[in-house]
Structures are given as C-alpha cells and as structure tokens.
Amino acid sequence: MKNIGVLTSGGDSPGMNAAIRAVVRTGVYHGMNVYGIRRGYQGMIDGDIQLMQTTDVSNIIQRGGTILKTARSKEFMTPEGMQKAYEQLQKHGIEGLVLIGGDGTFRGAVKFFEQYTIPAVGLPGTIDKDLSGTDLTIGFDTAVNTAVEAIDKIRDTAEAHDRVFVIELMGRDAGYIALNSGIACGAEDILIPETVTHIDELLNKIEADELRKKAVHIIVVAEGDDFGGATEVHASITERFPRLDVRACVLGHIQRGGSPTYTDRVLASRMGHAAVNALRSGDTQVMIGIVNNEIVHTPFTNVIKGTTPISADLIDMIRILSV
Amino acid sequence: MKNIGVLTSGGDSPGMNAAIRAVVRTGVYHGMNVYGIRRGYQGMIDGDIQLMQTTDVSNIIQRGGTILKTARSKEFMTPEGMQKAYEQLQKHGIEGLVLIGGDGTFRGAVKFFEQYTIPAVGLPGTIDKDLSGTDLTIGFDTAVNTAVEAIDKIRDTAEAHDRVFVIELMGRDAGYIALNSGIACGAEDILIPETVTHIDELLNKIEADELRKKAVHIIVVAEGDDFGGATEVHASITERFPRLDVRACVLGHIQRGGSPTYTDRVLASRMGHAAVNALRSGDTQVMIGIVNNEIVHTPFTNVIKGTTPISADLIDMIRILSV
Amino acid sequence: MKNIGVLTSGGDSPGMNAAIRAVVRTGVYHGMNVYGIRRGYQGMIDGDIQLMQTTDVSNIIQRGGTILKTARSKEFMTPEGMQKAYEQLQKHGIEGLVLIGGDGTFRGAVKFFEQYTIPAVGLPGTIDKDLSGTDLTIGFDTAVNTAVEAIDKIRDTAEAHDRVFVIELMGRDAGYIALNSGIACGAEDILIPETVTHIDELLNKIEADELRKKAVHIIVVAEGDDFGGATEVHASITERFPRLDVRACVLGHIQRGGSPTYTDRVLASRMGHAAVNALRSGDTQVMIGIVNNEIVHTPFTNVIKGTTPISADLIDMIRILSV
Amino acid sequence: MKNIGVLTSGGDSPGMNAAIRAVVRTGVYHGMNVYGIRRGYQGMIDGDIQLMQTTDVSNIIQRGGTILKTARSKEFMTPEGMQKAYEQLQKHGIEGLVLIGGDGTFRGAVKFFEQYTIPAVGLPGTIDKDLSGTDLTIGFDTAVNTAVEAIDKIRDTAEAHDRVFVIELMGRDAGYIALNSGIACGAEDILIPETVTHIDELLNKIEADELRKKAVHIIVVAEGDDFGGATEVHASITERFPRLDVRACVLGHIQRGGSPTYTDRVLASRMGHAAVNALRSGDTQVMIGIVNNEIVHTPFTNVIKGTTPISADLIDMIRILSV
C-alpha cells in the first residue's frame, strides 16, 4: 500500500491531532504518501484532500480540536455521495484509509468500504468512551479532567454559600464522564443512564443532610440520565425545598476542547501508529482498541455503541465516600 | 482599637481568602484580636464568631471561595436584626469591622454603622469590577482568566467544526468580564451592557463572513447585555440562518471559583493590610480601592455600582483585530 | 476490628489525601474509629495520633500533599523505636493499619508488623510507578501531566529560539515519568534507566538534524538514567557542538505537588476503600494494587521496587514519531 | 506608509503572538502590506521575510512563543550586517518597522535606524518588566502566574514534609517576578536585587521559626539577587542548620512559555494596535508603553533598563503577612 488517507469525523475530541500526527509520521516512515482529508466524509466528496509531510504535523500533539477539521455529511449517506467520494480517492490514488471518530465514523461507512473494496482502519475518537472493543477512547481522559477542574471551581462557591449545585456533564448514552468526575470531585450524588435514578431517594438524602447541617451538595448528572438533565433535577429539588439555594449548571462544550492529557496523547500516538501497521499488514475493516493496555482489533461490524454495567462494588463505594 | 471583626458578604470571589489572611495577620501583628464572623451579616446576628490566630489563615492564600463563608441576610435589613447583630459585636468587644464584598456589603450596612457608631472599612470583593473608587476588584482578574481558558477550549471545537458559538459570561450590570475575555480570545463579536447591541449588524457580519468562507465565530455576550443573553442571541442567529451550526453556552459559576491569580492575591493582600491600617488610623467608613496602583479611600456613600464608558479607541481596536 | 490507624510515609504524592479520605470514610461507615497518625512512623513513635471524623476529610480530595504529613524515621528502624511505636498503638487501641507510601513504607515495616502481630494493608503512594503488583501508583498520572504541561511551555521557547533543551524529570530507578512525558510532548529523545543510553547516537542524530535544518530538540532524561542527568547530557552536547544553543532544565519538585488528576483521585478512592475492606476481612500484610482495572492484593514480601522492560514496539514507535 | 515589517527579538515572552496579530491586522486594515521578518535582525539580514495576511495570524493569540521566531544577531552589530539588513528592507520596500522585544531590541538598533533613516516603533516584550516608560511588559503577568502555580505545587510538598525550599525565579536585573510571586504564594522570605540581602537575618528567622515549630519555609530568590541564587542560599542554610531538610529548586524556562493570560493578550493587542497607529502618524523612534492604563510613547533613547525602588510600605507588608 503506497497511498493512504486520514480523516476525522463526528464530534471532535482532544487527542485527535496526536493521532493524525502518528498516522502521518508512521506512514511516511514506511515510505507511504499520507493524504489528509479535511472535514471528514464531506471533504472526501468535495476533494478537500492534500498530501501531508512530516512537518505538517509538527507541534500539534498538544493541541485540542483537529487540524483536519470534522463535519457530518448527509451527502455521504447517498449512493451519489459515495460515488463522488470514491472518485476523489481514485483521483489521488488513495488505497487505504484511517478513520478517527465515534462509532458512526466506521459503522456508517461500512457499506461504502464494501461496495468499493476500500481497506480501512478506525480509531475511537470520542470523549464519551461509549464503544465496545476498547477500554479507552481518545479524548475521554482529558474530558473528565476538564470536568473535574470545573467542578472543583464550583465547589469553592458551593462551600462559600452552603449551596446545592446540579452540574450536567456530557454523555448522551453513557455516564462514564459523570461517574468518574463525580467520584473524583466527591460529588454527593451521581446520576447516570446506566443506573435507574430514584429522585425521591435523592430528595430524602438532601432533607436528611439539611437536618444534620450539611448544606453543600454537588449533584453530577449525565445529560442522558433517565430522569433528565440539570434542569429537571433542579426543578424537582426546588419544588420540594423552595427555600434552598439551588443552582443548575450545564458544563457544555468546554469538555470537548483543551490540550490533551498525557494519557490521551500517548493513547492516540499508539493507536495511530497501530492503525498504519494494521493497514500495512492487511488486517483491515477493524477498529483499533486498547484492552488491558494492549492494542486489539475489533471488526467494524462488532463495534457497538454502549456501556458496560457499573459494578455493585463501585456503587457501594460512591455511597460510602460521599457522606 | 483592640478587637476587630472581619466578614465576607455577597457573592464569593477568588482572593477573598487572601484578604482575610492579610486582615488577620496585620491585626495580630499590631496586637489586635481579630474575630472571624462567618456567613456575613447573618452570622453576625447568629453570633457565629470566633477569634482567629495567625495559623488559622496559613495556606489559604491560594484557595478560592471564602473560609468565612458568605450569605445574604434579610434579617439584617430589619431593626431587630441590626440590634441582635450589635449585641453580638458588643458581646465580643468588637470595636471595628473589615467588610469584604460588593457594594451592597458596605452601602447596605451604612445605616447600621451610623446608628451604632461602628467604625468599618470595606474591601471590594466581587468578580464584576463594577464599583467606582477602584480600578480593580478582588476576583476580577481570576474570573477573566477562567473565562479565557474556557473560551480557548471552545474555540478548539469551533475551529474543528466551523461553528458559531455564543458564549454568555457573568456580568449583570457590567461588561468588563465579557469585554476583556472577548478581546483576549479574539472573539468575533462582544456584546456588553455598556454599548447598544445592534443585532442586525451582527447578523449582517455573519452573513458577510459566511460568503467569504470564514465560518468560525465566537460571540461573547455579557449576561446583562441590553439585547439579551446567549439564548436570545442564539435564537436570532438560527432564525436568520437556519442551516448554520450555532451553539449557545452559558459559562456560569466556574467563573467565581478557582485558585486566584497572582494579581488577585497581591491585590487582596495589599487591600487587607491597608484596611487594618485605616481602622487603626481612624480613617473609616471608606472602601479601600486601588487607583493607578496606589491605595485610595472612598467614603461608603460615594461608592457607586456602575461602569465607565468604553473608549472609542478600544471599540475601534476590537473591530479591527477581530476580522 | 474496631480501631484502625492510617498514615502516609516517604515522599508525598498527589492523591494521598483522596486515599486518606476513603480510608476514614469507609472505616467510619463500618463503625470503626479511624486514627490519623501524623508524620508517618515518626509520628507513631511520638504519639502524634488523633481520631478522625468524616468531616475532617471533607474537601481534601482535590488537594495535593498529605494532611497527615509524612516523614522518614531512623528511630523506627531501631528496636527501641519500634517498641515506642507499638506502645502508642496500644495506648490508642489501634488494631490495624493502613499505610500509604512507597515500597519502603511497607517492606521497611514488615519486621515491626511481625514482631508485634499488627495487621496492616499498604497502598502504593508514589509518583514513580516503580512497584510490582500494580499497574498504577497514586500520584503517577498527576506527575506525568505536570511534567507534560511544563515541557509544553518549554517547547514554546525552544521553537521560538531553535534551541536544544535537555529536561530532567524525576525517576531515580524508573523511567516511566520520562518515558510517558517524552512521548506525550513529542520529545526528540528520551533517556531512561530501562534502556542503555548511547550518547553518540544522540549526538549523531542532533548533527543530522542540524544538517536538515531541524534545530529544535527536546531531550527528556530521567534523573536515574545510566548516562547521567541533564547536566551530563548538556555537557556532552555542548562539547561536541560548541556553537549550538543548548539549555538544561531540572524540573524538580513541582512534579510531586498539585491537585491530583481524576485518575489519581479515583484510584486513591478505590484503593483506600479496598484497604479497609481488606483489614475487615483479615486479608492483611498485603499491598493493594490495580491490575487491568481490578483490585489485587500482593503480599508485602512480594512487592518489589523495579521496572518492567519497555516493549520493542513502543521504542520503535518513539523513534518513528519523533522525526 | 505602505509597507511595514514586524519582528520579535531577544528572549521570547508570552503575548508576542498577540502583538504580532495586532500589528498585522491593524496594518492590513489600513491598507498596508505587513511583512513578517523571522528570527529578528538576523532574519532581516538573511532576507527571511514574507508578506503576512490576516489569516496568517488567526488562532495564535493564545499561543506562547513567537511564530516569527527570535534570535540574537552579532552580525547585525557590524556595519556590513546593517548594510545587508537595509538592502533586504529596500528589496521588499519596507518603510517602517515594529520591533517586539527587550531594551536591546530598540536601543541596540538605534544607530541602524538613524543611519538608514528607518521609522521604527518598539513594543516591550519581556517577562522581566525591567524597562522604564511602561508599567507592564508583554509576558510579565503570565510569567508571574506560571511561577505562582509552580510554587503552589512545591508548597504541597513543603507542607507535607515540613521542609525549607529555596526557589529561584528569573530576573537577572529585576526582582519583580520574585517579588510578586513571593507575595502571592505567601513566601516566608523574598530575596531580590532591589534590596540588600542580609543572609544572617534570614538564618536567624529560620532559627526562631524552628524554635516555635514552624518548619515550612518557602524562600523565593531572584536569579540576580545580590547574595546569589538558590544554590548559594541553600548552601548558607545547610551550613548553619545541617540537620534541616532544605531543597533548592531553579524554576527555569517554564516561566517564559505557556498560553498568555488575559492581561498579556489584551496588553499586547493594545500595544500592537498602537504601534501601527504611531507609525502611521509619524510618531516614531519610540517605545509604546502603558502607564496608568493609558498608552504612552517613550523615545528609544530614554528607555532605560532598570527597576524602581520597592516602597517601604510594601516591604513592611511582606514582613507582616509572612509570619
């Protein structure tokens, strides 16, 4: 394989640039031409493609976002879009692809790869960590640390005012960011999609704490929690305790950005390196994952968006430590 | 003066602890007993008061929030509340007060100080910088830097996706946080209460930029802007440009917390030190301010909540630099 | 078991406070009295011991250092010292211990535990990650991220001046901090004790790079590297290339401090929780470790200070990515 | 004036990129061609010059270092070097210059400007704040905050171990970084070139503190202190108190790098904007400064490297607060 392309797709996540750097440099090292495809599949259709040199990825390992930009493409979901995309790959002689993004990035393109027989390897680039086949996704570690720093700041105010704060973190389908941020910040309650939220228990706990003069509560809630987000939780609390000083806070997009942590940089570097090696060895149509600190390959068709159950032991611990 | 009290009141701001430390240590150095009054005027009424030693303020200069906690007190607005508060001061022999907070902290208490003849000195502790009599308030510098770090993170995503972001910062009456954060982050537009917001101009600018393929826009808006906050601006943009990818983000309470910057720590230290000196010299019923890097005193009755006009030169610069 | 003690010993590491918090709260939850023993074994001898409540560990999960302080004790190495320490434990009725520190903390005390039949459980609290029986130690993740942030800053200057920087990181016996920081910062060279340093190869590489006008080099060296530290490497480079602008930088103690990352806080919480459970179930004289994300127990006598070989694949990757 | 050039020279400082951005955009706004001259005067001699567009300075306001790189040039000190430099300016039609750097950047070039009649305006870009004619220099605010964050981390360890730390900060001729960092971190002692260091007083203070069981000391020393740097202070302390646990730490180059604070970004933006305006209005051969928050101009020949005396009141305060 002589010419390969690399793209980022879906929501951006910190570490994508480190992955791009690793793909480009590993490819070049092995004598390949590595083409950067900008704006994901839409850029592929539009021919927004250019050859990348080793120096094009200098000094980007520490940058958030993605220098290749990312986008969603409806056109790519059509036969005409796929045909155009294929023609652009042909035009540049691109024989293989490295795809960095969430499950939609690989699974949404499986049909395309099959129809046009394109070898492809995926990297899990998403802050949500909601993919099977890997213990970690690129961006998760940074996102949790960003959330933790923000919650630490909010706790300063909560402690100063004896307030209740309901803080909503990202995670439409998975509660990993909320769960880990919540433990790390000593949150009094953590509401996630993986467990059933009993709002009455939460309210009773607040009442009990008020009685024993523990007035500070940090409640961390994943945006995809079954009961609702910060707005819904806030409403329930103020309805029951109208005199309590309760604030809701949606942390929002700051969780996606920022300079990646060392974990995300090393992970992205290893995965980008492994992706090119997988393309070279013909082990394709797989997502690169990391399981127990070893690189593993999972066929695209087996990559499932979802979460694993939270262990009873961990839930126990959370309850004990957040008194 | 032998016995003094110190309290924090109103919204907390980073650097309040540094100010408390300076008051306690300067007081103790001059042989005074310094009493910490917890939870502002409410704690004064409740007698939540204790003698502080030099070591009680060790290792707090770098902490956000306030170790004395803060609260708002309706009871203090009543004659009965004031009477109770006075009795508690009498009980502890407290002859003078250092008050750290916003304009309400000093001005709201002027009647109390007059009625009971209590010497008091105020420190401007608020992130909003919306007080006359001082170039800087304790917490402002930290709040702006916190906002800047958050917007930098959001820009990563904005650049990756070619998106428009509307980011709402604190500032109900003053746009200083938004103005300075916006300049520092290279925001394409900055909407503040001090200037009239012409939403049509903003929309036209977005249209023009779209035509020349500049798709990333960071719009920073102060919560007190005359047109509205992030929600209103977001609605206007999506109404006119329904296909544009626009996101709204309310930064919220993280702006209040966090370890103070050096500027806020040094400022708070100088002001706390100056407050005790003012009490000692009998120059009381004043707010300590800093003007052109010199400590100045402004009578409580002259402290006005408000903002100064933004210079035409600065507005010019913003327009030129944010192309 | 009704009364237990907890101490920190050896060098401090970020996350120790999170571990103390977990030990105290888990103990209290199970009806135990948890005694904090200050300044490690020296405090045990001196009787610097006090009962801890749940609230004593409020709001410390995010703090660096250790609220129990740490110290090294020569006296504890003597029979008299051990006898005194035992008497203090007796006096407080302490029946079991949780020890947080490096290998010396557990292994150095094995004799004491045996002689006086004291059940003890250890937690690996060290930034160096140089212990067998665990994939991670409390503090490592924070230390690497601190180093990475510092090196990122230095790279700004290196890029501005086209300079060579030799940066020495902690790690007397293990190169994990240097290895991971180096990969994460895109260091041009990484010198660690686990591999033989061929200084000539390094110098030849610099020469080759100079010829192709790549003037920026970040060389990360572990303090325990076989060739030497930053001073030695710096001397070798300037000897061979007297006209090159080369700077040496010893990062030093900032690597130990700071607010712990989420990984260290969650790890410390899980380990502290597990330690009390181990004491309760009688599974003692073990160090708590984490292997493949599961809690494991390793007998003190099997805990070895040391490092595992770096995989050839990783070394390959480093070489390829740092062109 | 139609064509202008901009360069950075001397040591890099955070905010230089913000200044470059402001110069380019203000110039382009006024219809000028703005040339970036890389590597300072050496790049001028070498003709390392290229036209810059508005988009070349997109997304750099938050970056440390300087995209134009910086260098020192001995060749420029020779008549031949100046002649070559002038020819390059002629070749590109450059009629005016904006110079960003320390005093050497402007003063060292005065002869060149005079001989060849080149209008030039300077911006104070140095972390040291050791220039007359301005209250602030670009990079100072960031450098102090970087130092403060580092010292906060070291204090964690100092508190954990009851240790004495001697921390050396940058400042060969001026103690501003050390002075402000020291106050902000609650340093027990601050040694700066502006005051005479009496090492005996320092040692006596340590002795007195030891007697009253205050074992933690942070001593901040400017590299240019009259007594010496961290090494010398460390040696004096260990000589007198051989049993004390004393550590020396040279903070080094991390102080130069990193993303600039809002203060440095806004300052650099204002100064860059003002510099182009000065060139346009013919008010040249001056350094732009900021005094009492207003832009001022100081003729190059009046710019003096030096420091102002520290006020007795401030020294008093430091002594009182650092008990």
Side-chain angles (χ1 to χ4, degrees):
Chain A
M1 198 172 291
K2 182 71 185 166
N3 300 322
I4 63 172
V6 56
L7 62 78
T8 50
S9 169
D12 66 315
S13 71
M16 281 184 161
N17 282 328
I20 294 166
R21 172 181 176 268
V23 170
V24 170
R25 294 199 165 173
T26 307
V28 168
Y29 176 84
H30 290 298
M32 290 169 157
N33 298 312
V34 184
Y35 289 88
I37 302 168
R38 284 158 54 96
R39 296 182 296 114
Y41 294 109
Q42 190 58 46
M44 193 187 285
I45 291 170
D46 300 342
D48 197 351
I49 298 171
Q50 56 194 89
L51 191 61
M52 298 184 81
Q53 308 298 344
T54 288
T55 50
D56 292 328
V57 292
S58 285
N59 216 6
I60 66 165
I61 196 171
Q62 78 275 37
R63 307 249 184 271
T66 158
I67 60 165
L68 290 178
K69 292 180 179 275
T70 175
R72 288 187 170 82
S73 173
K74 284 191 182 160
E75 193 179 351
F76 185 69
M77 296 296 107
T78 65
E80 295 74 24
M82 289 194 203
Q83 178 63 28
K84 280 191 206 166
Y86 177 64
E87 284 163 12
Q88 288 293 342
L89 295 184
Q90 285 282 82
K91 189 174 146 191
H92 291 85
I94 294 173
E95 305 154 281
L97 290 173
V98 177
L99 317 160
I100 309 169
D103 70 319
T105 303
F106 334 125
R107 301 205 333 141
V110 161
K111 204 177 138 196
F112 173 67
F113 303 142
E114 279 176 1
Q115 187 172 337
Y116 296 100
T117 332
I118 302 165
V121 174
L123 301 193
T126 162
I127 62 169
D128 289 335
K129 212 187 78 161
D130 56 352
L131 296 180
S132 65
T134 191
D135 289 348
L136 277 175
T137 56
I138 298 168
F140 173 75
D141 190 75
T142 306
V144 178
N145 278 308
T146 300
V148 162
E149 283 173 30
I151 300 173
D152 282 354
K153 288 190 167 82
I154 293 173
R155 186 174 281 279
D156 285 342
T157 292
E159 297 279 343
H161 288 267
D162 284 341
R163 259 187 204 150
V164 177
F165 270 95
V166 186
I167 304 171
E168 181 178 313
L169 301 187
M170 282 189 166
R172 218 164 285 165
D173 305 294
Y176 292 118
I177 294 177
L179 179 71
N180 284 282
S181 304
I183 297 173
C185 294
E188 276 72 14
D189 280 289
I190 303 172
L191 312 182
I192 50 176
E194 289 85 351
T195 59
V196 179
T197 294
H198 300 288
I199 195 74
D200 282 343
E201 283 180 18
L202 172 67
L203 296 173
N204 291 342
K205 194 176 163 193
I206 291 176
E207 188 164 53
D209 284 350
E210 286 293 310
L211 288 176
R212 63 183 182 103
K213 300 280 181 197
K214 177 178 160 60
V216 180
H217 286 261
I218 302 285
I219 300 163
V220 171
V221 54
E223 64 177 320
D225 183 60
D226 53 296
F227 178 78
T231 313
E232 287 76 18
V233 175
H234 179 268
S236 292
I237 299 173
T238 48
E239 194 194 336
R240 172 119 162 232
F241 307 105
R243 294 177 52 189
L244 216 59
D245 192 356
V246 188
R247 304 291 166 105
C249 197
V250 178
L251 210 56
H253 278 86
I254 61 167
Q255 293 164 81
R256 281 200 182 287
S259 182
T261 58
Y262 104 83
T263 291
D264 277 327
R265 297 187 197 185
V266 172
L267 181 73
S269 297
R270 289 178 66 186
M271 285 182 162
H273 177 245
V276 175
N277 286 343
L279 274 183
R280 290 176 65 231
S281 67
D283 189 359
T284 64
Q285 319 315 108
V286 296
M287 184 189 82
I288 303 290
I290 196 146
V291 174
N292 293 339
N293 205 26
E294 299 288 336
I295 294 286
V296 297
H297 293 187
T298 304
F300 284 152
T301 44
N302 293 2
V303 175
I304 293 166
K305 184 160 179 166
T307 65
T308 47
I310 313 296
S311 82
D313 195 53
L314 196 65
I315 289 174
D316 221 43
M317 181 193 89
I318 293 169
R319 193 166 40 87
I320 291 173
L321 298 192
S322 66
V323 290
Chain B
M1 198 170 292
K2 183 71 187 168
N3 300 322
I4 64 171
V6 55
L7 60 79
T8 49
S9 171
D12 65 314
S13 72
M16 282 185 160
N17 282 328
I20 295 167
R21 170 180 177 270
V23 170
V24 170
R25 294 198 166 174
T26 307
V28 169
Y29 176 83
H30 290 297
M32 292 169 156
N33 297 313
V34 185
Y35 289 89
I37 302 168
R38 284 158 53 96
R39 296 181 295 113
Y41 294 108
Q42 190 57 46
M44 192 187 286
I45 292 171
D46 300 342
D48 195 353
I49 298 171
Q50 56 194 83
L51 190 62
M52 297 184 82
Q53 307 297 344
T54 288
T55 50
D56 291 329
V57 293
S58 286
N59 216 5
I60 66 164
I61 197 172
Q62 77 276 38
R63 306 248 184 271
T66 157
I67 62 165
L68 289 178
K69 291 181 181 275
T70 176
R72 289 185 169 82
S73 172
K74 285 190 182 161
E75 194 178 352
F76 185 69
M77 297 296 106
T78 66
E80 295 75 24
M82 289 193 204
Q83 178 63 27
K84 280 191 207 166
Y86 177 66
E87 284 164 12
Q88 288 293 343
L89 295 183
Q90 286 280 84
K91 189 173 146 192
H92 292 85
I94 294 173
E95 303 154 282
L97 290 173
V98 178
L99 317 159
I100 310 169
D103 70 320
T105 303
F106 334 125
R107 299 191 351 128
V110 161
K111 205 178 138 197
F112 173 68
F113 303 142
E114 280 175 2
Q115 185 170 339
Y116 296 100
T117 333
I118 302 166
V121 175
L123 302 192
T126 160
I127 61 169
D128 289 335
K129 213 187 77 162
D130 56 352
L131 295 180
S132 65
T134 190
D135 290 346
L136 276 176
T137 57
I138 298 168
F140 173 74
D141 190 75
T142 306
V144 179
N145 278 308
T146 300
V148 163
E149 282 173 30
I151 301 173
D152 282 354
K153 288 190 168 81
I154 293 174
R155 186 174 279 279
D156 285 343
T157 291
E159 297 278 344
H161 287 268
D162 284 342
R163 260 187 203 150
V164 177
F165 270 93
V166 187
I167 304 171
E168 181 177 315
L169 301 187
M170 282 188 166
R172 220 165 285 166
D173 305 295
Y176 293 117
I177 294 177
L179 179 71
N180 285 281
S181 304
I183 297 172
C185 295
E188 275 72 13
D189 280 287
I190 303 172
L191 313 181
I192 51 176
E194 288 85 351
T195 59
V196 179
T197 294
H198 300 289
I199 195 76
D200 282 343
E201 282 179 19
L202 172 68
L203 296 173
N204 291 341
K205 194 175 163 193
I206 292 177
E207 188 165 50
D209 283 351
E210 285 293 310
L211 286 176
R212 63 183 182 104
K213 301 280 182 198
K214 175 174 159 62
V216 179
H217 287 262
I218 302 285
I219 299 162
V220 170
V221 54
E223 63 177 323
D225 183 61
D226 53 296
F227 178 77
T231 313
E232 287 75 19
V233 176
H234 180 268
S236 293
I237 300 174
T238 47
E239 193 194 336
R240 170 121 162 230
F241 308 105
R243 292 177 54 189
L244 216 56
D245 192 355
V246 188
R247 304 292 166 102
C249 196
V250 179
L251 210 55
H253 278 85
I254 61 167
Q255 292 164 83
R256 281 201 183 286
S259 183
T261 58
Y262 104 84
T263 291
D264 278 326
R265 298 187 197 185
V266 172
L267 181 73
S269 297
R270 290 178 66 187
M271 286 182 162
H273 176 245
V276 175
N277 287 342
L279 274 182
R280 291 176 63 229
S281 67
D283 189 0
T284 65
Q285 319 317 109
V286 296
M287 184 190 82
I288 303 290
I290 194 146
V291 173
N292 293 341
N293 205 26
E294 298 289 336
I295 293 284
V296 298
H297 293 188
T298 305
F300 285 152
T301 44
N302 293 1
V303 175
I304 294 166
K305 181 160 179 166
T307 65
T308 47
I310 312 297
S311 81
D313 195 53
L314 196 64
I315 289 175
D316 221 43
M317 181 193 89
I318 292 170
R319 194 166 40 88
I320 291 173
L321 299 194
S322 66
V323 290
Chain C
M1 197 172 292
K2 185 71 187 165
N3 301 321
I4 63 172
V6 55
L7 62 78
T8 49
S9 169
D12 66 315
S13 71
M16 281 184 161
N17 282 329
I20 295 166
R21 172 181 177 268
V23 169
V24 171
R25 294 200 166 173
T26 307
V28 169
Y29 176 84
H30 291 298
M32 291 168 157
N33 298 312
V34 185
Y35 289 89
I37 302 167
R38 285 159 54 96
R39 296 182 294 114
Y41 294 108
Q42 189 59 46
M44 193 186 287
I45 291 171
D46 299 343
D48 195 352
I49 298 172
Q50 56 194 86
L51 191 62
M52 297 184 83
Q53 308 297 345
T54 289
T55 49
D56 291 328
V57 291
S58 286
N59 216 5
I60 65 164
I61 196 171
Q62 78 276 37
R63 307 246 186 272
T66 160
I67 61 166
L68 290 178
K69 290 180 182 276
T70 175
R72 289 186 170 81
S73 173
K74 284 191 182 162
E75 193 179 351
F76 186 68
M77 296 297 107
T78 66
E80 295 74 24
M82 290 193 203
Q83 178 63 28
K84 281 192 206 166
Y86 176 66
E87 283 163 12
Q88 288 293 344
L89 295 183
Q90 286 281 84
K91 188 174 148 192
H92 292 86
I94 294 173
E95 304 153 282
L97 290 172
V98 178
L99 317 160
I100 310 169
D103 70 319
T105 303
F106 332 124
R107 300 196 342 133
V110 161
K111 202 177 141 195
F112 172 66
F113 303 142
E114 278 176 3
Q115 184 171 341
Y116 295 101
T117 333
I118 300 166
V121 174
L123 301 191
T126 162
I127 60 169
D128 289 336
K129 214 186 78 161
D130 56 351
L131 295 180
S132 64
T134 190
D135 289 348
L136 277 175
T137 57
I138 298 168
F140 173 74
D141 190 76
T142 306
V144 178
N145 278 307
T146 300
V148 163
E149 283 173 31
I151 300 172
D152 282 354
K153 288 190 169 82
I154 294 174
R155 184 174 282 278
D156 285 343
T157 292
E159 296 280 343
H161 288 268
D162 285 342
R163 258 185 204 153
V164 178
F165 269 94
V166 186
I167 304 171
E168 182 178 314
L169 301 187
M170 281 188 166
R172 218 164 286 165
D173 304 295
Y176 292 117
I177 294 177
L179 179 71
N180 284 281
S181 304
I183 297 173
C185 294
E188 276 71 14
D189 280 287
I190 304 172
L191 313 182
I192 51 176
E194 288 85 351
T195 58
V196 179
T197 294
H198 300 289
I199 195 75
D200 282 343
E201 284 180 17
L202 172 67
L203 297 173
N204 291 341
K205 194 176 163 192
I206 292 176
E207 188 165 53
D209 283 350
E210 285 292 310
L211 286 176
R212 63 184 183 102
K213 301 279 180 196
K214 177 176 159 60
V216 180
H217 286 261
I218 303 286
I219 300 162
V220 170
V221 53
E223 63 178 320
D225 183 62
D226 52 295
F227 179 77
T231 313
E232 286 76 18
V233 175
H234 180 268
S236 293
I237 299 174
T238 47
E239 194 194 335
R240 172 119 161 233
F241 308 105
R243 295 177 50 188
L244 216 56
D245 192 355
V246 189
R247 304 292 166 102
C249 196
V250 178
L251 211 54
H253 278 85
I254 62 168
Q255 294 164 82
R256 281 201 183 285
S259 182
T261 58
Y262 105 83
T263 291
D264 277 327
R265 297 187 197 186
V266 173
L267 180 74
S269 297
R270 290 178 66 187
M271 285 181 163
H273 177 245
V276 175
N277 286 343
L279 274 182
R280 291 177 64 231
S281 67
D283 188 0
T284 63
Q285 321 315 109
V286 296
M287 182 189 84
I288 303 290
I290 197 146
V291 174
N292 294 339
N293 205 27
E294 298 289 335
I295 293 285
V296 297
H297 293 185
T298 304
F300 285 152
T301 44
N302 293 0
V303 175
I304 294 166
K305 183 160 179 165
T307 65
T308 46
I310 312 297
S311 82
D313 195 54
L314 196 65
I315 290 175
D316 220 43
M317 182 193 88
I318 293 169
R319 193 165 42 86
I320 290 173
L321 299 192
S322 67
V323 290
Chain D
M1 198 172 291
K2 184 70 188 167
N3 300 321
I4 63 171
V6 55
L7 61 78
T8 49
S9 169
D12 65 316
S13 72
M16 282 186 160
N17 282 328
I20 295 167
R21 170 180 177 270
V23 170
V24 171
R25 294 198 165 173
T26 307
V28 168
Y29 176 84
H30 290 298
M32 291 169 156
N33 297 312
V34 184
Y35 289 90
I37 303 168
R38 285 158 53 95
R39 295 182 297 113
Y41 294 108
Q42 189 58 46
M44 193 187 286
I45 292 171
D46 300 342
D48 196 352
I49 299 172
Q50 57 194 85
L51 190 62
M52 297 184 83
Q53 308 297 343
T54 289
T55 49
D56 291 329
V57 292
S58 286
N59 216 5
I60 66 164
I61 197 171
Q62 78 277 36
R63 307 245 185 272
T66 159
I67 61 165
L68 289 179
K69 290 179 179 276
T70 176
R72 288 185 171 82
S73 172
K74 286 192 181 159
E75 194 179 351
F76 185 69
M77 296 297 107
T78 66
E80 295 75 23
M82 289 194 203
Q83 178 62 27
K84 280 192 206 167
Y86 176 65
E87 285 164 12
Q88 288 294 342
L89 295 183
Q90 285 281 83
K91 189 174 146 191
H92 292 85
I94 295 173
E95 303 153 282
L97 290 174
V98 178
L99 317 159
I100 310 169
D103 70 319
T105 304
F106 334 124
R107 298 190 352 126
V110 161
K111 203 178 140 197
F112 173 67
F113 303 142
E114 280 176 1
Q115 184 171 342
Y116 296 99
T117 334
I118 301 166
V121 175
L123 301 192
T126 160
I127 61 170
D128 289 335
K129 214 187 75 160
D130 56 351
L131 296 181
S132 65
T134 190
D135 289 347
L136 277 176
T137 56
I138 298 169
F140 174 73
D141 190 76
T142 306
V144 178
N145 278 308
T146 299
V148 163
E149 283 173 31
I151 300 173
D152 281 354
K153 288 190 168 82
I154 293 173
R155 185 174 281 278
D156 285 342
T157 292
E159 296 280 343
H161 287 269
D162 285 342
R163 258 186 204 152
V164 178
F165 270 95
V166 186
I167 304 172
E168 181 178 314
L169 301 187
M170 282 188 167
R172 219 165 284 165
D173 305 295
Y176 293 117
I177 295 177
L179 179 72
N180 285 281
S181 305
I183 296 172
C185 294
E188 276 72 13
D189 280 287
I190 302 172
L191 312 182
I192 51 176
E194 287 85 352
T195 59
V196 178
T197 295
H198 300 288
I199 195 75
D200 281 343
E201 282 180 19
L202 172 68
L203 296 173
N204 291 342
K205 193 175 164 195
I206 291 176
E207 188 165 51
D209 284 350
E210 286 292 311
L211 286 176
R212 61 183 183 105
K213 301 281 181 196
K214 177 176 158 62
V216 179
H217 286 261
I218 303 285
I219 300 162
V220 171
V221 54
E223 62 178 322
D225 183 61
D226 53 295
F227 179 76
T231 312
E232 286 75 18
V233 176
H234 179 269
S236 292
I237 300 174
T238 47
E239 193 193 337
R240 171 119 161 232
F241 308 105
R243 290 178 53 188
L244 216 57
D245 192 355
V246 189
R247 303 292 166 104
C249 197
V250 179
L251 211 53
H253 278 85
I254 62 168
Q255 293 164 83
R256 282 202 181 284
S259 182
T261 58
Y262 104 83
T263 292
D264 278 326
R265 296 186 199 186
V266 172
L267 180 73
S269 298
R270 289 178 67 187
M271 287 182 161
H273 176 244
V276 174
N277 287 343
L279 273 183
R280 290 177 63 230
S281 67
D283 189 1
T284 64
Q285 319 318 109
V286 295
M287 184 190 82
I288 304 290
I290 196 145
V291 173
N292 293 341
N293 205 26
E294 299 289 335
I295 293 285
V296 298
H297 294 187
T298 304
F300 285 152
T301 44
N302 293 1
V303 175
I304 294 166
K305 184 160 179 166
T307 66
T308 46
I310 313 297
S311 82
D313 195 54
L314 195 66
I315 289 175
D316 221 42
M317 181 192 89
I318 292 170
R319 194 167 39 87
I320 290 173
L321 299 193
S322 67
V323 290

